[in-house]
Amino acid sequence: MIKQTYAAILPAAGIGSRMQAAVPKQYLPLAGKTVIEHSLSKLLQHPAISQVVVVLAENDRWFRQLEVAKHPKISLALGGAERCDSVLSGLHAIKKADWVLVHDAARPCLAHSDIELLIKHIEQHHQGVILGAQVRDTMKRSDANGNILNTVDRDGLWHALTPQAFPVQQLRHALQSALMQGVNITDEASAIEFSGEACSILPGRSDNLKVTRPEDMAMAERFLTQSLSQ
């Protein structure tokens, strides 16, 4: 069996306005580093991943000041207006890989075991796959004014997490096609879904949270502190 090769993309061109911070959320200090350094850490450490493309905004003045920017696996690409534009830019910067793992810059608690889970699935099934968390709470649908319309059956519902892993060429084609047709792409899996290709979802770790609001930082710090102490 031919050994598969892997790269990763970290879209980091967003500004994270909901954090109400002076810098984009990926550059906020967290457990002795910045959020983005933690998000990159396990990707850079994994021996199967040969290149990590960090996609930056044109006016980004923070990343190059970080020590991690000098890492030999790191490449840079210029981000676009939307996440899908940034991921597509990152795909064009990949030098040589069969598969790509796309990971949120604001998910600093990624575990090595979750990367291993994705790679094991790819090696066995040769199919795109994402991490997810099954919905446990009662789900409600509301109108624009916040009035509850109905309760949604949570069976088969997942929160989509990252990394999301796909063949490089498949994801590039899916994103280009979706953009040309004006499809709303919220994550990489939605582009694959639109293209009609198969995609699996696997249960990832519950501590793989996305830093979106100020209160998320304290939780992420607790998770990282626990991880480092083990």
Side-chain angles (χ1 to χ4, degrees):
M1 183 179 295
I2 299 174
K3 187 174 179 61
Q4 300 297 293
T5 55
Y6 299 87
I9 295 174
L10 203 81
I15 59 172
S17 57
R18 280 178 288 183
M19 288 297 293
Q20 302 170 6
V23 298
K25 61 185 176 182
Q26 58 266 33
Y27 297 116
L28 291 172
L30 176 66
K33 297 181 181 180
T34 59
V35 170
I36 195 171
E37 287 175 290
H38 288 293
S39 300
L40 283 166
S41 175
K42 294 297 189 294
L43 296 171
L44 292 170
Q45 291 172 13
H46 200 286
I49 298 173
S50 60
Q51 181 186 9
V52 180
V53 182
V54 181
V55 188
L56 302 174
E58 186 174 8
N59 60 351
D60 186 293
R61 61 181 186 277
W62 299 279
F63 185 77
R64 293 171 180 81
Q65 299 177 23
L66 302 175
E67 186 65 29
V68 73
K70 303 173 186 176
H71 195 285
K73 285 188 180 182
I74 292 280
S75 301
L76 301 181
L78 183 62
E82 303 292 340
R83 177 192 174 91
C84 55
D85 299 304
S86 293
V87 173
L88 195 53
S89 176
L91 287 167
H92 290 310
I94 290 176
K95 297 170 184 174
K96 184 180 180 181
D98 302 309
W99 292 79
V100 61
L101 283 70
V102 184
H103 184 56
D104 293 330
R107 288 191 188 272
C109 302
L110 175 63
H112 178 86
S113 60
D114 270 354
I115 300 176
E116 285 290 288
L117 185 68
L118 292 174
I119 290 178
K120 183 178 179 181
H121 181 91
I122 289 166
E123 300 285 347
Q124 290 179 348
H125 301 283
H126 307 285
Q127 176 178 294
V129 58
I130 76 171
L131 294 175
Q134 289 181 295
V135 172
R136 299 174 182 175
D137 302 311
T138 299
M139 300 294 289
K140 303 290 185 181
R141 178 176 285 110
S142 72
D143 61 19
N145 298 316
N147 299 307
I148 293 176
L149 297 176
N150 61 288
T151 300
V152 180
D153 185 356
R154 67 188 175 198
D155 284 351
L157 289 182
W158 296 72
H159 299 283
L161 310 177
T162 69
Q164 302 192 357
F166 301 97
V168 171
Q169 299 300 333
Q170 182 191 62
L171 182 56
R172 182 183 292 134
H173 179 267
L175 286 172
Q176 289 173 333
S177 179
L179 284 169
M180 286 177 61
Q181 298 182 59
V183 178
N184 181 31
I185 298 301
T186 55
D187 67 350
E188 291 66 54
S190 60
I192 299 297
E193 294 159 29
F194 174 74
S195 71
E197 299 287 346
C199 177
S200 301
I201 188 165
L202 300 175
R205 288 175 58 106
S206 59
D207 55 1
N208 184 13
L209 85 166
K210 186 175 183 179
V211 174
T212 304
R213 300 183 182 277
E215 58 265 30
D216 297 330
M217 291 290 285
M219 189 177 297
E221 179 128 16
R222 285 198 298 273
F223 287 148
L224 286 168
T225 301
Q226 291 170 4
S227 175
L228 292 171
S229 65
Q230 290 175 354

